[in-house]
Amino acid sequence: MTQKQTGFRCGIGYDTHRLVEGRKLLLGGVEIASPLGLLGHSDGDVLSHAIADALLGAAGLGDIGHFFSDTDPRWKGASSLTFLETIQELLAGKGFRILNIDSVVVIDEPKLAPHISKMQETLAGALGIQSSLVNVKAKTSEGAAGASSASPMAAAHAIALLSGL
Ligand code: MG
């Protein structure tokens, strides 16, 4: 016999992008001054991508590549906030509500502390929720993936909790 569903669903997301010269650094939809930016088909916003995957995972809807393929010319240079707006509409249409999001960005430079509030507000704005429901934390790789390493990169982890089906 199938058990009655609880009405709560969690999802996990992870993403990584290389840091290169000549690209903007966008994290959580916020542009941050940096000599290196995130390489990607879209704007390379690794945090928004991890959150997108957490939300889609919680809803049982697959992953970001299914909806926003990195070979689709429509998404070349796209703002990843538009991905989150689209996903929010998709979730709302299926009766899901976002209860909270927690996340970790892993990047060595620049320091993210001065930008965390703006990132939370910007992400929450794209998702149509209060900024108190979005938490962003920052860690470094202890130099392993910093600008002077062989392969500078940033990563992000996210978890989302939904109520709904
Ligand atoms: Mg990505």
Side-chain angles (χ1 to χ4, degrees):
M1 191 173 83
T2 307
Q3 286 192 322
K4 193 168 186 293
Q5 291 179 331
T6 62
F8 296 103
R9 298 176 63 121
C10 69
I12 187 172
Y14 168 75
D15 196 24
T16 183
H17 282 257
R18 289 175 54 209
L19 284 162
V20 298
E21 290 179 356
R23 292 274 298 186
K24 290 178 181 174
L25 177 62
L26 277 145
L27 289 170
V30 176
E31 186 175 341
I32 298 169
S34 168
L36 302 181
L38 291 165
L39 187 62
H41 181 66
S42 63
D43 60 7
D45 185 341
V46 70
L47 175 58
S48 294
H49 294 180
I51 290 172
D53 262 355
L55 291 167
L56 290 170
L61 292 172
D63 63 28
I64 188 171
H66 176 73
F67 292 92
F68 310 103
S69 167
D70 64 6
T71 58
D72 189 329
R74 280 182 298 169
W75 313 127
K76 185 167 171 53
S79 166
S80 297
L81 292 178
T82 65
F83 300 168
L84 294 179
E85 290 165 3
T86 301
I87 289 168
Q88 191 276 331
E89 287 169 13
L90 187 65
L91 298 187
K94 291 182 177 293
F96 289 111
R97 191 160 66 92
I98 300 167
L99 297 184
N100 82 297
I101 290 166
D102 191 19
S103 62
V104 185
V105 182
V106 185
I107 190 168
D108 280 28
E109 305 101 11
K111 292 296 178 200
L112 299 188
H115 309 286
I116 294 284
S117 304
K118 181 97 182 287
M119 290 158 68
Q120 292 174 164
E121 284 166 20
T122 303
L123 289 163
L127 293 168
I129 57 177
Q130 295 174 21
S131 57
S132 62
L133 301 179
V134 180
N135 196 69
V136 176
K137 305 186 294 294
K139 293 280 182 188
T140 76
S141 73
E142 302 277 345
S148 59
S149 73
S151 181
M153 54 176 272
H157 306 255
I159 187 167
L161 184 67
L162 306 180
S163 65
L165 302 175

